């Protein structure tokens, strides 16, 4: 499996009540369907009939494609809870894996990650292109300067079909809780490493 790291980020999309919704490409498909219908009736040729059938079957193929993604894309999440001292470096890693032979070039992962100064955690939308059998690593480190409880993880995934007709939301809700304690609170516990604590992946979760 190839390992890549996503880089492009944008605003978090507005959450809908429905897991399957229309995407921006649905309007273009509707225009193509009407145009192919007009050409089919006007030309009465086999080529126009084939074009109309192809355009008409695109939504069905797109839905099957998205249903496969629910079983093909998996998430490797870190341990559920970790305790660190204030100002102690924390290394964390999450992995998104495409186990299918199909490519998924349009995937948006809504991740809850620390801000630049690790004052709080916020939701960020990361754009990912996943070729077949690909592993995407999200690696970062943070130094929390204030005591409190923080959450790091993945809220949901938005998967688009190749023609961006539909958008499928896959709810993940896999988070790790980071408890930041006062300095010297943990003493010589196992989390106090010279180079900072590590939040390593512990188990698989499929959806």
């Amino acid at each position: 499996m190839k390992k890549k790291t996503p880089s492009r980020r944008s605003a978090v999309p507005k959450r809908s009540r429905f897991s399957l919704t229309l995407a921006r490409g649905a309007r273009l498909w509707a225009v193509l369907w009407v145009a192919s219908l007009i050409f089919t009736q006007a030309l009465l040729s086999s080529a126009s009939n084939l074009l109309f059938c192809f355009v008409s079957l695109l939504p069905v193929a797109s839905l099957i494609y998205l249903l496969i993604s629910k079983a093909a894309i998996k998430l490797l999440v870190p341990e559920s809870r970790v305790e660190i001292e204030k100002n102690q470096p924390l290394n964390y890693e999450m992995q998104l894996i495409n186990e299918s032979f199909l490519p998924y070039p349009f995937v948006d992962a809504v991740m809850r990650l620390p801000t630049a100064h690790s004052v709080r955690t916020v939701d960020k939308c990361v754009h990912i292109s996943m070729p077949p059998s690909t592993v995407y690593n999200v690696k970062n480190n943070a130094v929390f300067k204030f005591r409190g409880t923080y959450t790091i993880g993945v809220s949901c995934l938005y998967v688009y079909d190749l023609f961006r007709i539909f958008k499928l939301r896959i709810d993940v809700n896999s988070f790790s809780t980071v408890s930041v304690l006062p300095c010297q609170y943990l003493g010589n516990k196992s989390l106090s490493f010279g180079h900072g604590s590590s939040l390593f992946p512990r188990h698989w979760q499929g959806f």
Side-chain angles (χ1 to χ4, degrees):
M1 291 186 178
K2 294 182 178 179
K3 290 192 175 183
K4 297 184 178 182
T5 302
S7 58
R8 293 187 302 153
R9 296 181 179 180
S10 66
V12 177
K14 185 177 180 181
R15 188 180 182 92
S16 172
R17 294 183 302 168
F18 307 100
S19 59
L20 182 66
T21 56
L22 295 176
R24 293 182 178 180
R27 296 181 179 179
L28 178 60
W29 172 83
V31 173
L32 290 176
W33 187 85
V34 172
S36 63
L37 177 62
I38 294 174
F39 284 134
T40 299
Q41 295 179 345
L43 299 178
L44 297 177
S45 64
S46 57
S48 61
N49 289 331
L50 289 176
L51 176 62
F52 178 74
C53 292
F54 173 77
V55 175
S56 298
L57 292 176
L58 273 182
V60 178
S62 297
L63 289 174
I64 296 175
Y65 174 83
L66 291 179
L67 288 177
I68 295 175
S69 71
K70 296 192 68 174
I73 300 178
K74 296 185 180 297
L75 173 68
L76 189 60
V77 298
E79 62 184 27
S80 59
R81 187 175 183 84
V82 66
E83 292 182 345
I84 61 171
E85 293 180 354
K86 186 174 64 173
N87 294 322
Q88 179 182 357
L90 173 70
N91 303 315
Y92 57 90
E93 177 182 357
M94 292 174 285
Q95 291 183 343
L96 285 171
I97 301 175
N98 178 18
E99 294 185 338
S100 171
F101 62 92
L102 297 174
Y104 289 93
F106 308 115
V107 179
D108 291 343
V110 179
M111 300 181 178
R112 187 165 300 170
L113 302 172
T115 57
H117 300 287
S118 301
V119 177
R120 59 193 177 95
T121 56
V122 295
D123 289 337
K124 300 179 181 180
C125 184
V126 181
H127 301 290
I128 301 173
S129 178
M130 304 190 71
S133 302
T134 301
V135 179
Y136 267 91
N137 289 332
V138 179
K139 294 182 179 180
N140 211 332
N141 57 75
V143 178
F144 293 97
K145 300 179 180 180
F146 301 96
R147 291 179 296 172
T149 302
Y150 304 85
T151 54
I152 300 174
V154 180
S155 175
C156 63
L157 301 175
Y158 289 97
V159 184
Y160 299 82
D161 62 273
L162 295 176
F163 303 95
R164 299 181 75 93
I165 301 175
F166 298 105
K167 176 175 65 175
L168 176 66
R169 188 187 72 241
I170 304 175
D171 293 318
V172 181
N173 295 322
S174 294
F175 298 101
S176 296
T177 302
V178 180
S179 297
V180 181
L181 306 175
C183 295
Q184 306 302 325
Y185 183 87
L186 295 176
N188 295 322
K189 289 187 178 181
S190 60
L191 282 174
S192 299
F193 299 124
H195 298 286
S197 299
S198 295
L199 195 59
F200 290 116
R202 297 299 182 190
H203 65 277
W204 287 99
Q205 177 170 339
F207 35 81

